[in-house]
Amino acid sequence: SQTIHQWPATLVQPVGSPLSLECTVEGTSNPNLYWYRQAAGRGLQLLFYSVGIGQISSEVPQNLSASRPQDRQFILSSKKLLLSDSGFYLCAWSVRDRNSPLHFGNGTRLTVT
Amino acid sequence: EDQVTQSPEALRLQEGESSSLNCSYTVSGLRGLFWYRQDPGKGPEFLFTLYSAGEEKEKERLKATLTKKESFLHITAPKPEDSATYLCAVHNNNDMRFGAGTRLTVKP
């Protein structure tokens, strides 16, 4: 069966520090991969998605970037964190069928101080 | 602009008190409507996919239905363990758009 791992679960970082959140998927090949951010009381906001190694699409301009160095690995990064980057970050995968559901990891709670 | 609106924002039920959650949407080219359950501090867990008006899906005490403009998640005789936030999402030709969710609390 497929599993998705996301770490760390919680992170507290000072303003201006770098960020690296990692997500890996097991049990499937060639998945679509996604990074979402969830703000309290609001819907999930798509940040990045990837349909293959090295292929990244950005949905919103921001202080973040994403990379996909391997088929089942997705990384969310920042060179210098802002206070506004605080939030709950979720990684998800889906099969290549555009009508298929997303399967989420358990998220990373990021607090920028 | 494509939109997904969920109501109510919060719902408190007594154990055994059935009710429904609503997800209304305006999208161009609906390719699927999805329901998720999210527990505090966790990622959303996939429940159902509905593809066409009139379709229904069931899982234990939950039943999801779909019309051309909205979807309902019916909860029959809920238990405290059904307490969670329920998210609705629609997949159009471009992306998946999520509603803000309904926070359900079931009291014993």
Side-chain angles (χ1 to χ4, degrees):
Chain A
S1 63
Q2 302 88 2
T3 56
I4 180 170
H5 302 280
Q6 190 179 343
W7 68 93
T10 60
L11 190 61
V12 180
Q13 292 284 97
V15 169
S17 64
L19 173 73
S20 181
L21 302 181
E22 192 160 339
C23 171
T24 59
V25 181
E26 296 177 355
T28 186
S29 297
N30 303 314
N32 288 341
L33 295 173
Y34 307 81
W35 279 111
Y36 280 85
R37 178 165 56 199
Q38 186 175 32
R42 303 180 65 179
L44 278 69
Q45 179 188 34
L46 179 62
L47 301 176
F48 301 95
Y49 70 93
S50 171
V51 298
I53 296 174
Q55 300 179 62
I56 309 294
S57 295
S58 175
E59 291 298 303
V60 292
Q62 60 213 322
N63 187 39
L64 303 169
S65 62
S67 61
R68 183 171 178 172
Q70 300 180 44
D71 181 48
R72 290 168 290 176
Q73 184 184 27
F74 207 22
I75 297 172
L76 182 68
S77 303
S78 173
K79 292 182 179 178
K80 288 185 178 182
L81 285 169
L82 305 172
L83 285 174
S84 57
D85 292 323
S86 294
F88 191 49
Y89 289 84
L90 290 158
C91 180
W93 72 272
S94 72
V95 299
R96 289 298 174 90
D97 178 0
R98 288 176 61 87
N99 293 338
S100 62
L102 302 180
H103 302 277
F104 289 87
N106 275 329
T108 295
R109 172 71 60 191
L110 172 66
T111 303
V112 182
T113 60
Chain B
E1 181 182 323
D2 295 344
Q3 285 191 332
V4 181
T5 303
Q6 291 189 246
S7 62
E9 290 185 12
L11 181 63
R12 296 170 67 91
L13 300 173
Q14 287 295 129
E15 184 173 1
E17 179 186 2
S18 302
S19 188
S20 296
L21 282 55
N22 177 264
C23 171
S24 62
Y25 62 91
T26 55
V27 296
S28 53
L30 178 71
R31 300 178 70 94
L33 185 140
F34 304 86
W35 282 98
Y36 293 85
R37 169 192 170 126
Q38 186 174 24
D39 292 305
K42 302 290 187 182
E45 174 189 350
F46 169 67
L47 293 174
F48 305 109
T49 306
L50 301 167
Y51 291 111
S52 58
E55 190 175 359
E56 298 182 353
K57 293 276 181 72
E58 285 190 68
K59 180 179 180 180
E60 296 181 353
R61 295 175 291 282
L62 301 177
K63 183 168 81 170
T65 62
L66 181 65
T67 72
K68 289 187 177 180
K69 292 185 177 181
E70 57 191 351
S71 177
F72 292 94
L73 184 65
H74 307 276
I75 303 177
T76 302
K79 298 182 178 181
E81 53 261 43
D82 295 321
S83 297
T85 295
Y86 291 86
L87 301 173
C88 163
V90 296
H91 200 314
N92 60 16
N93 288 322
N94 299 311
D95 59 17
M96 187 171 294
R97 191 172 294 265
F98 283 81
T102 293
R103 187 173 66 254
L104 174 66
T105 304
V106 182
K107 308 205 81 174

